[in-house]
Amino acid sequence: MTDEELRAKFLYTNGTLRNKLAIKNADELSLIEYRGVAERQVALLQQQPKIKSFDDLITINKFLFGWLYEWAGELRNYYLSKAGFDFLEYDRFDNAIKYINSEIIKLNKKKQPTIDDYAALLNDINYVHPFREGNGRSTKLFIQLLALHHGQVIDYPADNTAMIAALDQSDVKAIAATMTLQKSA
């Protein structure tokens, strides 16, 4: 897909994401999205579905964003970069998903995964960047749900600046340093 085709598919002419509510004001859309996604995040945290594979990440993205965007839960089929950082080529997703699934299996076999284990998985999924939008929120929730089934809770930073910088450098130790891991109550 060309850049022009991608813009036409995902954006209104003013640059706002195309959405099911036909909201063309970016600020209004952002607020509605934030509230709706937050409500859905809480619902999933209360349900605590068990994370078994990458497919669960797809389900999470669709649940969090599907009420607002047609493309939610769909793996991207085009190249993507942000701020000069190139994410994994979409034609390599099959191998990346197999690798991530093997890492999830390893984590699920551990009694108490470490913050480094979770940070490494976060880093791997971030590099794949499988969706048009919502990758960070979907992935953080995915990993939080994985931790809950190990009797753990992950706290992410309120300010993502340090985490994003660490993810841009693919520095697992720096990513882990932005997160805290506790036993759940």
Side-chain angles (χ1 to χ4, degrees):
M1 235 183 255
T2 67
D3 287 346
E4 194 170 295
E5 290 170 326
L6 286 172
R7 275 191 296 279
K9 179 177 179 174
F10 292 115
L11 302 173
Y12 292 118
T13 54
N14 71 351
T16 302
L17 280 172
R18 290 188 179 279
N19 58 83
K20 293 178 178 180
L21 304 178
I23 297 168
K24 294 183 180 167
N25 179 293
D27 292 334
E28 180 185 353
L29 178 62
S30 180
L31 181 61
I32 289 170
E33 176 189 296
Y34 177 82
R35 288 179 179 160
V37 169
E39 289 171 4
R40 285 160 179 77
Q41 287 171 318
V42 169
L44 279 179
L45 287 168
Q46 290 171 339
Q47 293 172 14
Q48 296 186 22
K50 184 158 175 57
I51 300 301
K52 298 176 193 156
S53 73
F54 189 90
D55 287 343
D56 296 318
L57 179 64
I58 294 169
T59 300
I60 288 169
N61 185 269
K62 185 160 186 69
F63 179 74
L64 293 180
F65 297 95
W67 61 279
L68 189 55
Y69 302 114
E70 291 291 336
W71 44 259
E74 292 177 8
L75 297 179
R76 65 178 168 85
N77 59 355
Y78 47 87
Y79 295 102
L80 183 65
S81 66
K82 282 189 181 177
F85 182 84
D86 293 327
F87 295 107
L88 184 70
E89 299 88 356
Y90 68 89
D91 55 356
R92 296 177 57 200
F93 277 8
D94 286 346
N95 287 333
I97 291 169
K98 286 177 190 171
Y99 175 77
I100 289 168
N101 281 337
S102 71
E103 292 303 301
I104 293 167
I105 290 168
K106 287 180 199 173
L107 276 176
N108 276 330
K109 288 181 179 177
K110 288 186 170 191
K111 251 187 182 178
Q112 295 290 293
T114 67
I115 196 69
D116 288 342
D117 293 329
Y118 295 119
L121 184 58
L122 178 64
N123 183 61
D124 291 340
I125 295 171
N126 179 68
Y127 179 56
V128 175
H129 226 71
F131 310 111
R132 169 65 177 90
E133 291 290 332
N135 289 282
R137 288 173 281 177
S138 297
T139 302
K140 286 178 185 176
L141 181 58
F142 175 82
I143 292 172
Q144 181 65 276
L145 291 167
L146 184 61
L148 282 172
H149 283 280
H150 289 92
Q152 300 171 312
V153 174
I154 296 173
D155 287 325
Y156 295 104
D159 179 358
N160 282 328
T161 307
M163 178 178 275
I164 290 170
L167 286 164
D168 285 349
Q169 297 301 311
S170 202
D171 184 339
V172 172
K173 289 288 184 198
I175 297 165
T178 68
M179 304 159 51
T180 57
L181 182 64
Q182 304 167 17
K183 289 190 180 266
S184 63

